[in-house]
Amino acid sequence: MAEPARARPKPTPETQHFWDGTQAGELRLQRCDACGNVYFPPRPFCPSCASRKISVFKASGKGKLYSYVINHRPAAPGFTPPYAIAVVELDEGPRMMSNIIDCPQTPEALELDMKLEVAFEKLDDKITLPMFRPAKG
Amino acid sequence: MRRNQVAVVGAAETTELGVIPNMSQIQLHADAALNAVADAGLKLSDIDGIATAVETPQQIAHYLGITPTWVDGTSVGGCSFMLHVRHAAAAIEAGLCKTVLITHAESGKSMIGKLPRSIPADSLQGQFEAPFGVYGPPSMFPIPVLRYMKTYGITHEQIAMVAVVQREWAAKNPRAMMKDPITVADVLNSRMIAYPFRLLQCCLVTDGGGALILTSADRARDFPKKSVYILGTGESVETPMVSQMETFNSSRAFKIAGPTAFREAGITHKDVDHLMIYDAFAHLPLYGLGDLGFMPHEETGKFIADGHTRPGGKLPLNTNGGGLSYMHSGMYGMYALQESVRQMRGIAPAQVKDAKISVCHGVGGMFAASGTIIFTNEK
Ligand SMILES: [Zn+2]
Protein backbone atom coordinates (compact mmCIF):
# COMPACT_ATOMS: atom_id res chain seq x y z
CA MET A 1 0.00 0.00 0.00
CA ALA A 2 1.24 3.48 -0.84
CA GLU A 3 2.14 5.92 1.92
CA PRO A 4 -0.89 7.97 3.00
CA ALA A 5 -0.73 11.27 1.16
CA ARG A 6 -1.01 14.83 2.37
CA ALA A 7 -4.46 16.39 1.90
CA ARG A 8 -4.54 17.70 -1.65
CA PRO A 9 -6.31 20.97 -2.43
CA LYS A 10 -8.82 20.96 -5.27
CA PRO A 11 -9.09 24.39 -6.94
CA THR A 12 -12.43 26.01 -7.68
CA PRO A 13 -13.18 28.61 -10.39
CA GLU A 14 -12.60 31.34 -7.79
CA THR A 15 -9.23 30.00 -6.58
CA GLN A 16 -7.72 28.65 -9.81
CA HIS A 17 -5.53 31.75 -10.32
CA PHE A 18 -3.91 31.16 -6.94
CA TRP A 19 -2.97 27.56 -7.72
CA ASP A 20 -1.85 28.50 -11.27
CA GLY A 21 0.36 31.06 -9.53
CA THR A 22 2.06 28.64 -7.16
CA GLN A 23 2.77 26.33 -10.12
CA ALA A 24 4.40 29.26 -11.91
CA GLY A 25 6.43 30.10 -8.79
CA GLU A 26 4.31 33.11 -7.81
CA LEU A 27 2.30 33.87 -4.71
CA ARG A 28 -0.77 35.62 -6.08
CA LEU A 29 -3.04 37.81 -3.99
CA GLN A 30 -6.01 39.99 -4.88
CA ARG A 31 -6.41 43.72 -4.46
CA CYS A 32 -9.60 45.74 -4.63
CA ASP A 33 -9.46 48.37 -7.39
CA ALA A 34 -12.04 50.46 -5.55
CA CYS A 35 -10.68 50.63 -2.00
CA GLY A 36 -7.19 49.14 -2.23
CA ASN A 37 -7.89 46.31 0.22
CA VAL A 38 -5.59 43.28 -0.20
CA TYR A 39 -7.26 40.06 0.88
CA PHE A 40 -7.04 36.29 1.13
CA PRO A 41 -8.39 33.62 0.61
CA PRO A 42 -9.39 34.30 -3.01
CA ARG A 43 -12.84 35.48 -4.06
CA PRO A 44 -13.99 37.57 -7.02
CA PHE A 45 -15.13 40.55 -4.93
CA CYS A 46 -13.77 42.68 -2.13
CA PRO A 47 -14.85 41.47 1.34
CA SER A 48 -14.30 44.99 2.65
CA CYS A 49 -16.37 47.11 0.22
CA ALA A 50 -18.13 44.45 -1.94
CA SER A 51 -16.72 45.83 -5.20
CA ARG A 52 -16.38 43.26 -7.99
CA LYS A 53 -13.56 45.30 -9.55
CA ILE A 54 -10.50 43.48 -8.29
CA SER A 55 -7.04 42.59 -9.62
CA VAL A 56 -4.75 39.64 -9.13
CA PHE A 57 -1.12 40.56 -8.47
CA LYS A 58 2.14 38.86 -7.59
CA ALA A 59 2.89 39.29 -3.90
CA SER A 60 6.39 39.84 -2.56
CA GLY A 61 6.42 36.42 -0.93
CA LYS A 62 7.80 38.02 2.23
CA GLY A 63 6.20 37.86 5.62
CA LYS A 64 6.71 37.01 9.25
CA LEU A 65 5.72 34.26 11.62
CA TYR A 66 2.46 35.26 13.33
CA SER A 67 1.80 32.09 15.36
CA TYR A 68 2.05 28.31 15.20
CA VAL A 69 1.72 24.96 16.91
CA ILE A 70 4.16 22.08 16.67
CA ASN A 71 1.87 19.14 16.11
CA HIS A 72 2.87 15.88 17.79
CA ARG A 73 -0.30 13.81 17.73
CA PRO A 74 -2.39 12.85 15.99
CA ALA A 75 -0.36 13.53 12.83
CA ALA A 76 -2.13 14.25 9.56
CA PRO A 77 -1.62 11.71 6.75
CA GLY A 78 1.61 12.44 4.89
CA PHE A 79 3.24 14.24 7.86
CA THR A 80 5.95 13.02 10.20
CA PRO A 81 5.58 14.51 13.66
CA PRO A 82 6.60 16.79 15.17
CA TYR A 83 5.83 19.38 12.51
CA ALA A 84 4.90 23.04 12.76
CA ILE A 85 1.59 24.36 11.44
CA ALA A 86 2.19 28.07 11.02
CA VAL A 87 0.23 31.19 10.26
CA VAL A 88 2.29 33.65 8.23
CA GLU A 89 1.52 37.35 8.10
CA LEU A 90 2.38 38.53 4.60
CA ASP A 91 3.99 41.96 4.08
CA GLU A 92 0.90 42.87 2.01
CA GLY A 93 -1.34 42.28 5.05
CA PRO A 94 -3.25 39.01 4.70
CA ARG A 95 -2.35 35.95 6.72
CA MET A 96 -2.18 32.38 5.49
CA MET A 97 -1.59 28.96 6.94
CA SER A 98 1.58 27.18 5.81
CA ASN A 99 4.52 25.08 6.96
CA ILE A 100 8.01 26.33 7.76
CA ILE A 101 10.73 24.49 5.85
CA ASP A 102 14.54 24.55 6.15
CA CYS A 103 14.17 25.17 9.88
CA PRO A 104 14.20 22.89 12.94
CA GLN A 105 10.62 22.29 14.11
CA THR A 106 11.35 23.48 17.65
CA PRO A 107 10.15 26.39 19.82
CA GLU A 108 13.76 27.64 19.96
CA ALA A 109 14.11 27.86 16.18
CA LEU A 110 10.58 29.06 15.50
CA GLU A 111 10.57 32.56 16.92
CA LEU A 112 7.43 34.64 16.58
CA ASP A 113 7.87 37.55 14.17
CA MET A 114 10.88 35.95 12.46
CA LYS A 115 11.15 36.99 8.82
CA LEU A 116 10.02 34.42 6.27
CA GLU A 117 10.00 34.07 2.50
CA VAL A 118 7.86 31.90 0.29
CA ALA A 119 9.16 28.66 -1.21
CA PHE A 120 7.21 26.41 -3.52
CA GLU A 121 6.86 22.69 -3.00
CA LYS A 122 5.48 20.57 -5.81
CA LEU A 123 2.88 18.11 -4.58
CA ASP A 124 2.14 16.58 -7.98
CA ASP A 125 1.82 17.65 -11.64
CA LYS A 126 -1.12 19.92 -10.91
CA ILE A 127 -0.62 21.25 -7.40
CA THR A 128 2.27 23.21 -5.88
CA LEU A 129 1.98 24.35 -2.27
CA PRO A 130 3.21 27.68 -0.91
CA MET A 131 5.64 27.02 1.96
CA PHE A 132 7.80 29.46 3.90
CA ARG A 133 11.42 29.37 5.02
CA PRO A 134 13.47 31.70 7.22
CA ALA A 135 14.38 34.74 5.09
CA LYS A 136 18.02 35.00 4.02
CA GLY A 137 19.95 38.05 5.14
CA MET B 1 -35.12 40.57 23.78
CA ARG B 2 -36.85 41.43 27.03
CA ARG B 3 -35.41 40.12 30.29
CA ASN B 4 -36.84 37.17 32.20
CA GLN B 5 -39.71 36.47 29.78
CA VAL B 6 -38.58 32.91 29.13
CA ALA B 7 -37.50 30.23 31.60
CA VAL B 8 -35.68 26.92 31.61
CA VAL B 9 -38.16 24.55 33.27
CA GLY B 10 -36.44 21.24 32.50
CA ALA B 11 -32.76 20.35 32.32
CA ALA B 12 -30.95 17.03 32.33
CA GLU B 13 -27.94 15.20 31.04
CA THR B 14 -27.88 11.63 29.76
CA THR B 15 -28.34 8.98 32.44
CA GLU B 16 -24.66 8.16 32.11
CA LEU B 17 -21.70 10.26 31.00
CA GLY B 18 -18.27 9.11 29.93
CA VAL B 19 -17.94 5.90 27.95
CA ILE B 20 -21.35 4.64 26.81
CA PRO B 21 -20.71 1.75 24.41
CA ASN B 22 -24.29 0.45 24.56
CA MET B 23 -26.01 3.49 23.02
CA SER B 24 -25.97 5.12 19.59
CA GLN B 25 -25.76 8.89 19.17
CA ILE B 26 -29.44 9.31 18.39
CA GLN B 27 -30.43 7.25 21.43
CA LEU B 28 -28.20 9.47 23.58
CA HIS B 29 -30.29 12.41 22.31
CA ALA B 30 -33.44 10.56 23.28
CA ASP B 31 -32.09 9.56 26.70
CA ALA B 32 -31.26 13.21 27.49
CA ALA B 33 -34.60 14.40 26.10
CA LEU B 34 -36.63 11.90 28.13
CA ASN B 35 -34.72 12.87 31.28
CA ALA B 36 -35.37 16.58 30.65
CA VAL B 37 -39.06 16.02 29.91
CA ALA B 38 -39.39 14.04 33.16
CA ASP B 39 -37.48 16.77 35.02
CA ALA B 40 -40.07 19.30 33.80
CA GLY B 41 -42.99 16.99 34.60
CA LEU B 42 -44.10 17.11 30.96
CA LYS B 43 -44.99 14.63 28.24
CA LEU B 44 -43.26 14.55 24.86
CA SER B 45 -46.58 15.56 23.33
CA ASP B 46 -46.31 18.88 25.19
CA ILE B 47 -43.26 19.83 23.10
CA ASP B 48 -44.04 22.01 20.08
CA GLY B 49 -40.58 23.37 19.31
CA ILE B 50 -37.31 21.51 18.76
CA ALA B 51 -33.70 22.55 18.27
CA THR B 52 -30.59 20.45 17.84
CA ALA B 53 -27.17 20.50 16.17
CA VAL B 54 -25.14 18.04 14.08
CA GLU B 55 -28.12 15.68 14.06
CA THR B 56 -31.01 17.38 12.25
CA PRO B 57 -34.21 18.57 13.95
CA GLN B 58 -36.21 16.25 11.68
CA GLN B 59 -34.13 13.27 12.79
CA ILE B 60 -34.61 13.99 16.50
CA ALA B 61 -38.26 15.06 16.18
CA HIS B 62 -39.18 11.90 14.33
CA TYR B 63 -37.20 9.61 16.63
CA LEU B 64 -38.94 11.12 19.66
CA GLY B 65 -42.36 11.29 18.00
CA ILE B 66 -42.63 15.07 18.24
CA THR B 67 -44.63 17.20 15.76
CA PRO B 68 -43.12 20.68 16.02
CA THR B 69 -44.45 24.03 14.85
CA TRP B 70 -40.99 25.60 15.23
CA VAL B 71 -37.55 24.12 14.51
CA ASP B 72 -33.98 25.35 14.71
CA GLY B 73 -31.09 23.39 13.24
CA THR B 74 -28.41 26.01 13.87
CA SER B 75 -25.18 24.03 13.87
CA VAL B 76 -22.16 26.25 14.49
CA GLY B 77 -20.16 23.88 16.68
CA GLY B 78 -20.07 23.48 20.44
CA CYS B 79 -21.93 26.70 21.26
CA SER B 80 -24.90 25.83 19.01
CA PHE B 81 -27.00 25.21 22.13
CA MET B 82 -26.42 28.73 23.43
CA LEU B 83 -27.72 29.97 20.10
CA HIS B 84 -30.68 27.58 20.35
CA VAL B 85 -31.56 29.02 23.76
CA ARG B 86 -31.40 32.53 22.33
CA HIS B 87 -33.48 31.65 19.27
CA ALA B 88 -35.97 29.63 21.32
CA ALA B 89 -36.45 32.49 23.77
CA ALA B 90 -37.20 34.84 20.87
CA ALA B 91 -39.58 32.32 19.29
CA ILE B 92 -41.48 31.78 22.54
CA GLU B 93 -41.76 35.52 23.08
CA ALA B 94 -43.01 35.93 19.51
CA GLY B 95 -45.62 33.24 20.04
CA LEU B 96 -44.22 30.86 17.41
CA CYS B 97 -44.28 27.98 19.87
CA LYS B 98 -44.88 27.38 23.57
CA THR B 99 -42.50 24.67 24.81
CA VAL B 100 -39.10 24.08 23.23
CA LEU B 101 -36.86 21.04 23.61
CA ILE B 102 -33.15 21.55 22.86
CA THR B 103 -31.07 18.38 22.60
CA HIS B 104 -27.41 17.61 22.28
CA ALA B 105 -25.70 14.25 22.29
CA GLU B 106 -22.57 12.83 20.81
CA SER B 107 -21.08 9.39 20.74
CA GLY B 108 -17.73 11.20 20.76
CA LYS B 109 -15.72 8.35 22.25
CA SER B 110 -17.56 5.19 21.20
CA MET B 111 -18.45 6.61 17.74
CA ILE B 112 -21.71 4.67 17.44
CA GLY B 113 -24.11 6.11 14.88
CA LYS B 114 -21.99 9.24 14.55
CA LEU B 115 -21.72 10.93 11.17
CA PRO B 116 -18.10 11.28 10.02
CA ARG B 117 -16.80 14.82 9.81
CA SER B 118 -14.80 15.52 6.69
CA ILE B 119 -13.39 18.57 4.93
CA PRO B 120 -14.04 18.65 1.16
CA ALA B 121 -10.81 19.19 -0.81
CA ASP B 122 -12.41 22.04 -2.78
CA SER B 123 -13.68 23.95 0.28
CA LEU B 124 -11.61 26.92 1.42
CA GLN B 125 -10.44 24.93 4.45
CA GLY B 126 -9.61 21.99 2.20
CA GLN B 127 -7.49 24.22 -0.04
CA PHE B 128 -5.88 26.62 2.40
CA GLU B 129 -5.61 24.78 5.74
CA ALA B 130 -5.86 20.99 5.35
CA PRO B 131 -2.76 20.67 3.08
CA PHE B 132 -0.59 22.07 5.89
CA GLY B 133 -1.22 19.26 8.34
CA VAL B 134 -4.15 20.35 10.47
CA TYR B 135 -5.81 17.23 11.76
CA GLY B 136 -8.54 17.66 14.33
CA PRO B 137 -9.08 20.37 16.94
CA PRO B 138 -5.82 19.84 18.93
CA SER B 139 -3.80 20.83 15.85
CA MET B 140 -5.95 23.90 15.15
CA PHE B 141 -7.48 25.42 18.26
CA PRO B 142 -4.15 26.21 19.98
CA ILE B 143 -2.66 27.92 16.89
CA PRO B 144 -3.45 31.45 18.19
CA VAL B 145 -2.14 30.95 21.73
CA LEU B 146 1.60 31.65 21.24
CA ARG B 147 0.72 35.03 19.74
CA TYR B 148 -1.69 35.74 22.62
CA MET B 149 1.00 34.82 25.17
CA LYS B 150 3.58 37.07 23.51
CA THR B 151 1.20 40.01 23.19
CA TYR B 152 0.01 39.92 26.79
CA GLY B 153 2.98 38.38 28.62
CA ILE B 154 1.07 35.23 29.61
CA THR B 155 3.22 32.32 30.83
CA HIS B 156 3.03 28.56 30.23
CA GLU B 157 2.63 28.09 33.99
CA GLN B 158 -0.37 30.44 34.11
CA ILE B 159 -2.15 28.53 31.35
CA ALA B 160 -1.30 25.25 33.07
CA MET B 161 -3.12 26.59 36.15
CA VAL B 162 -6.39 26.61 34.18
CA ALA B 163 -6.25 22.81 34.12
CA VAL B 164 -5.16 22.58 37.78
CA VAL B 165 -8.01 24.77 39.03
CA GLN B 166 -10.63 22.99 36.95
CA ARG B 167 -9.50 19.67 38.33
CA GLU B 168 -10.17 21.11 41.80
CA TRP B 169 -13.75 21.79 40.74
CA ALA B 170 -14.07 18.38 39.07
CA ALA B 171 -13.08 16.69 42.33
CA LYS B 172 -16.34 18.02 43.81
CA ASN B 173 -18.46 16.59 40.96
CA PRO B 174 -19.24 12.86 41.23
CA ARG B 175 -20.07 12.70 37.50
CA ALA B 176 -16.77 14.29 36.41
CA MET B 177 -14.57 12.02 34.31
CA MET B 178 -11.25 13.12 35.85
CA LYS B 179 -11.14 13.86 39.60
CA ASP B 180 -7.59 13.21 40.82
CA PRO B 181 -5.74 16.40 41.81
CA ILE B 182 -3.01 17.63 39.46
CA THR B 183 -0.22 20.20 39.75
CA VAL B 184 1.28 22.70 37.31
CA ALA B 185 4.25 20.32 36.98
CA ASP B 186 1.90 17.45 36.10
CA VAL B 187 0.37 19.57 33.35
CA LEU B 188 3.71 20.74 31.96
CA ASN B 189 5.11 17.20 32.02
CA SER B 190 2.10 15.52 30.42
CA ARG B 191 2.40 14.18 26.89
CA MET B 192 2.94 16.81 24.20
CA ILE B 193 -0.03 17.07 21.85
CA ALA B 194 0.49 20.29 19.86
CA TYR B 195 3.11 22.64 21.31
CA PRO B 196 2.56 24.60 23.47
CA PHE B 197 -0.32 22.40 24.62
CA ARG B 198 0.03 19.10 26.39
CA LEU B 199 -2.49 16.39 27.14
CA LEU B 200 -3.84 17.98 30.33
CA GLN B 201 -4.53 21.24 28.49
CA CYS B 202 -6.74 19.51 25.91
CA CYS B 203 -10.35 18.47 26.41
CA LEU B 204 -11.51 14.97 27.16
CA VAL B 205 -13.17 12.79 24.52
CA THR B 206 -16.33 11.19 25.93
CA ASP B 207 -19.91 10.11 25.16
CA GLY B 208 -22.97 11.84 26.51
CA GLY B 209 -25.68 14.38 25.99
CA GLY B 210 -28.01 16.87 27.56
CA ALA B 211 -31.34 18.53 26.97
CA LEU B 212 -33.16 21.69 28.03
CA ILE B 213 -36.84 22.65 28.05
CA LEU B 214 -37.84 26.29 27.72
CA THR B 215 -41.20 27.96 28.03
CA SER B 216 -42.76 31.29 28.80
CA ALA B 217 -41.84 32.61 32.26
CA ASP B 218 -45.47 33.25 33.19
CA ARG B 219 -46.03 29.48 33.02
CA ALA B 220 -42.92 28.78 35.08
CA ARG B 221 -44.71 28.35 38.39
CA ASP B 222 -46.60 25.34 36.98
CA PHE B 223 -43.46 23.22 36.95
CA PRO B 224 -42.15 20.94 39.69
CA LYS B 225 -38.52 22.16 39.74
CA LYS B 226 -37.14 25.63 40.28
CA SER B 227 -37.32 27.68 37.08
CA VAL B 228 -34.28 29.52 35.79
CA TYR B 229 -34.85 32.74 33.84
CA ILE B 230 -33.07 34.00 30.74
CA LEU B 231 -31.74 37.44 31.54
CA GLY B 232 -29.56 38.15 28.52
CA THR B 233 -28.29 36.54 25.32
CA GLY B 234 -25.75 37.13 22.56
CA GLU B 235 -24.33 35.40 19.51
CA SER B 236 -21.96 35.87 16.61
CA VAL B 237 -19.75 34.06 14.11
CA GLU B 238 -16.37 34.93 12.64
CA THR B 239 -14.65 32.42 10.34
CA PRO B 240 -14.43 28.64 10.00
CA MET B 241 -10.69 29.06 9.27
CA VAL B 242 -8.61 29.70 12.38
CA SER B 243 -5.86 31.15 10.16
CA GLN B 244 -8.24 33.88 8.99
CA MET B 245 -9.27 35.29 12.38
CA GLU B 246 -9.05 39.07 12.49
CA THR B 247 -6.46 38.77 15.27
CA PHE B 248 -5.09 36.06 17.57
CA ASN B 249 -5.17 38.51 20.48
CA SER B 250 -8.91 38.09 20.99
CA SER B 251 -12.00 36.49 19.46
CA ARG B 252 -14.26 38.79 17.46
CA ALA B 253 -17.19 36.41 18.00
CA PHE B 254 -16.61 36.47 21.79
CA LYS B 255 -16.40 40.26 21.76
CA ILE B 256 -19.82 40.50 20.17
CA ALA B 257 -21.72 37.66 21.86
CA GLY B 258 -20.55 38.41 25.42
CA PRO B 259 -21.11 42.17 25.62
CA THR B 260 -24.44 41.84 23.75
CA ALA B 261 -25.66 39.48 26.48
CA PHE B 262 -24.42 41.81 29.25
CA ARG B 263 -26.20 44.79 27.68
CA GLU B 264 -29.39 42.82 27.22
CA ALA B 265 -29.24 41.60 30.84
CA GLY B 266 -28.53 45.11 32.12
CA ILE B 267 -25.86 43.82 34.50
CA THR B 268 -22.24 44.66 35.17
CA HIS B 269 -19.38 42.23 35.74
CA LYS B 270 -19.63 42.77 39.50
CA ASP B 271 -23.12 41.23 39.41
CA VAL B 272 -21.84 37.88 38.13
CA ASP B 273 -21.84 35.16 40.81
CA HIS B 274 -20.97 32.21 38.61
CA LEU B 275 -19.25 31.89 35.25
CA MET B 276 -18.87 29.17 32.64
CA ILE B 277 -16.43 29.65 29.75
CA TYR B 278 -16.31 26.77 27.29
CA ASP B 279 -12.85 25.27 27.70
CA ALA B 280 -12.11 22.91 24.85
CA PHE B 281 -8.50 23.91 25.43
CA ALA B 282 -6.83 25.69 28.34
CA HIS B 283 -6.44 29.09 26.67
CA LEU B 284 -10.17 29.64 26.18
CA PRO B 285 -10.97 30.87 29.71
CA LEU B 286 -8.28 33.54 29.25
CA TYR B 287 -9.75 34.74 25.97
CA GLY B 288 -13.22 34.62 27.56
CA LEU B 289 -12.29 36.65 30.66
CA GLY B 290 -10.72 39.29 28.46
CA ASP B 291 -13.23 39.43 25.61
CA LEU B 292 -16.26 39.40 27.92
CA GLY B 293 -14.72 42.39 29.66
CA PHE B 294 -14.05 40.93 33.11
CA MET B 295 -10.49 42.30 32.94
CA PRO B 296 -7.84 43.32 30.42
CA HIS B 297 -6.32 40.30 28.61
CA GLU B 298 -2.94 41.09 30.25
CA GLU B 299 -4.42 40.20 33.66
CA THR B 300 -6.25 36.97 32.77
CA GLY B 301 -3.35 34.56 33.30
CA LYS B 302 -2.40 36.06 36.66
CA PHE B 303 -6.05 36.17 37.76
CA ILE B 304 -6.41 32.42 37.30
CA ALA B 305 -2.92 31.62 38.61
CA ASP B 306 -3.68 33.67 41.73
CA GLY B 307 -6.63 31.36 42.45
CA HIS B 308 -9.54 33.76 41.93
CA THR B 309 -11.49 31.20 39.87
CA ARG B 310 -10.90 28.16 42.11
CA PRO B 311 -13.30 26.88 44.80
CA GLY B 312 -13.65 29.70 47.34
CA GLY B 313 -12.33 32.29 44.86
CA LYS B 314 -14.16 35.51 44.02
CA LEU B 315 -15.18 34.42 40.49
CA PRO B 316 -16.09 30.70 40.45
CA LEU B 317 -15.37 29.52 36.89
CA ASN B 318 -16.19 26.20 35.22
CA THR B 319 -17.51 24.67 38.42
CA ASN B 320 -18.28 21.26 36.89
CA GLY B 321 -14.61 20.81 35.97
CA GLY B 322 -15.14 21.93 32.39
CA GLY B 323 -14.29 20.26 29.13
CA LEU B 324 -10.84 19.58 30.54
CA SER B 325 -12.05 17.44 33.45
CA TYR B 326 -15.86 17.01 33.52
CA MET B 327 -16.68 15.70 30.05
CA HIS B 328 -16.37 16.71 26.40
CA SER B 329 -18.34 14.78 23.82
CA GLY B 330 -17.33 17.10 20.98
CA MET B 331 -19.84 19.91 21.47
CA TYR B 332 -19.50 20.82 25.13
CA GLY B 333 -21.77 23.89 25.21
CA MET B 334 -24.75 21.91 26.44
CA TYR B 335 -22.85 20.77 29.57
CA ALA B 336 -21.86 24.34 30.39
CA LEU B 337 -25.55 25.32 30.14
CA GLN B 338 -26.53 22.37 32.35
CA GLU B 339 -24.07 23.47 35.03
CA SER B 340 -25.33 27.06 34.93
CA VAL B 341 -28.90 25.80 35.37
CA ARG B 342 -27.85 23.53 38.28
CA GLN B 343 -26.09 26.49 39.94
CA MET B 344 -29.17 28.69 39.51
CA ARG B 345 -31.39 25.94 40.90
CA GLY B 346 -29.05 25.55 43.85
CA ILE B 347 -28.46 21.86 43.19
CA ALA B 348 -24.91 21.80 41.75
CA PRO B 349 -22.49 19.36 43.41
CA ALA B 350 -20.04 22.25 43.82
CA GLN B 351 -22.76 24.79 44.59
CA VAL B 352 -21.76 28.46 44.72
CA LYS B 353 -23.54 29.77 47.81
CA ASP B 354 -26.34 32.29 47.13
CA ALA B 355 -25.49 32.54 43.43
CA LYS B 356 -28.13 34.61 41.64
CA ILE B 357 -26.60 35.36 38.24
CA SER B 358 -24.73 32.91 36.04
CA VAL B 359 -22.97 33.76 32.76
CA CYS B 360 -22.53 30.88 30.34
CA HIS B 361 -20.23 31.53 27.39
CA GLY B 362 -19.65 29.14 24.53
CA VAL B 363 -17.38 28.75 21.53
CA GLY B 364 -18.03 26.89 18.29
CA GLY B 365 -15.39 25.53 15.95
CA MET B 366 -11.95 27.09 16.44
CA PHE B 367 -13.18 30.54 17.55
CA ALA B 368 -15.57 30.28 14.57
CA ALA B 369 -18.73 31.04 16.53
CA SER B 370 -19.87 32.15 19.94
CA GLY B 371 -22.98 32.30 22.10
CA THR B 372 -23.53 33.73 25.57
CA ILE B 373 -26.50 33.14 27.86
CA ILE B 374 -27.01 34.94 31.17
CA PHE B 375 -29.28 33.16 33.64
CA THR B 376 -30.87 34.27 36.89
CA ASN B 377 -32.97 32.55 39.52
CA GLU B 378 -34.74 35.77 40.54
CA LYS B 379 -37.55 37.06 38.42
ZN1 LIG C 1 -12.80 47.13 -1.61
Side-chain angles (χ1 to χ4, degrees), chain A residues 6 15 66-67 72 83 113, chain B residues 127 131 133 143 147 150 193 248:
Chain A
R6 180 192 274 252
T15 64
Y66 185 56
S67 200
H72 286 245
Y83 62 92
D113 300 313
Chain B
Q127 293 180 71
I143 287 176
R147 171 57 53 183
K150 178 167 180 177
I193 300 294
F248 285 176

Side-chain angles (χ1 to χ4, degrees), chain A residues 32 35 46 49:
Chain A
C32 174
C35 78
C46 170
C49 77

Side-chain angles (χ1 to χ4, degrees), chain A residues 5 8 18 22 24 33 53 55 57 59-61 82 114 121 128:
Chain A
R8 186 184 182 283
F18 180 87
T22 54
D33 296 338
K53 291 193 172 60
S55 305
F57 71 99
S60 67
M114 70 192 281
E121 210 166 272
T128 295

Side-chain angles (χ1 to χ4, degrees), chain B residues 80-374:
Chain B
S80 299
F81 317 101
M82 282 79 173
L83 275 67
H84 295 157
V85 168
R86 187 170 204 241
H87 303 171
I92 290 165
E93 260 211 278
L96 305 182
C97 53
K98 287 191 167 62
T99 310
V100 172
L101 169 68
I102 302 170
T103 70
H104 156 73
E106 226 166 338
S107 184
K109 174 82 174 171
S110 302
M111 307 288 280
I112 305 167
K114 183 178 157 73
L115 306 166
R117 289 189 197 179
S118 67
I119 300 168
D122 53 0
S123 66
L124 291 176
Q125 295 96 308
Q127 293 180 71
F128 300 111
E129 289 195 337
F132 305 105
V134 297
Y135 200 60
S139 66
M140 288 188 272
F141 222 150
I143 287 176
V145 74
L146 286 177
R147 171 57 53 183
Y148 185 89
M149 292 169 72
K150 178 167 180 177
T151 300
Y152 299 121
I154 306 286
T155 68
H156 293 281
E157 288 74 16
Q158 287 172 338
I159 299 185
M161 269 300 279
V162 172
V164 171
V165 168
Q166 290 192 199
R167 190 60 66 84
E168 292 175 6
W169 284 112
K172 297 170 175 292
N173 280 268
R175 276 162 68 87
M177 187 89 174
M178 307 296 278
K179 293 193 272 285
D180 294 340
I182 51 173
T183 64
V184 167
D186 291 335
V187 176
L188 296 180
N189 289 317
S190 62
R191 198 168 68 201
M192 188 65 85
I193 300 294
Y195 176 85
F197 279 0
R198 294 168 180 272
L199 183 68
L200 293 175
Q201 290 163 307
C202 303
C203 64
L204 305 168
V205 180
T206 58
D207 303 324
L212 294 169
I213 293 171
L214 276 68
T215 193
S216 168
D218 50 29
R219 292 177 62 206
R221 72 177 65 85
D222 302 338
F223 293 89
K225 301 273 181 69
K226 189 177 175 68
S227 295
V228 176
Y229 302 96
I230 302 187
L231 187 59
T233 62
E235 68 186 286
S236 192
V237 294
E238 185 176 358
T239 167
M241 299 171 76
V242 67
S243 64
Q244 298 306 314
M245 290 172 69
E246 226 165 57
T247 170
F248 285 176
N249 294 324
S250 73
S251 158
R252 192 185 80 190
F254 282 20
K255 284 198 325 198
I256 293 170
T260 301
F262 272 80
R263 272 195 305 278
E264 203 172 271
I267 62 164
T268 69
H269 296 85
K270 283 197 184 69
D271 299 320
V272 177
D273 301 308
H274 171 252
L275 177 60
M276 298 298 289
I277 298 175
Y278 188 137
D279 59 320
F281 293 88
H283 56 323
L284 290 171
L286 280 68
Y287 278 82
L289 287 171
D291 285 336
L292 268 60
F294 282 92
M295 64 201 69
H297 283 286
E298 288 84 347
E299 295 171 18
T300 55
K302 185 172 188 303
F303 187 81
I304 289 172
D306 285 350
H308 296 307
T309 62
R310 66 168 28 141
K314 63 182 173 191
L315 186 58
L317 170 65
N318 293 343
T319 51
N320 58 355
L324 297 179
S325 285
Y326 182 68
M327 82 88 66
H328 196 293
S329 53
M331 298 173 76
Y332 165 83
M334 175 57 80
Y335 309 96
L337 290 165
Q338 294 285 337
E339 175 66 7
S340 280
V341 170
R342 286 193 293 265
Q343 289 286 348
M344 291 297 91
R345 283 176 159 183
I347 58 166
Q351 182 62 42
V352 175
K353 197 163 171 283
D354 300 327
K356 292 181 178 65
I357 290 179
S358 174
V359 172
C360 191
H361 179 73
V363 68
M366 320 300 145
F367 292 113
S370 185
T372 310
I373 303 295
I374 303 180

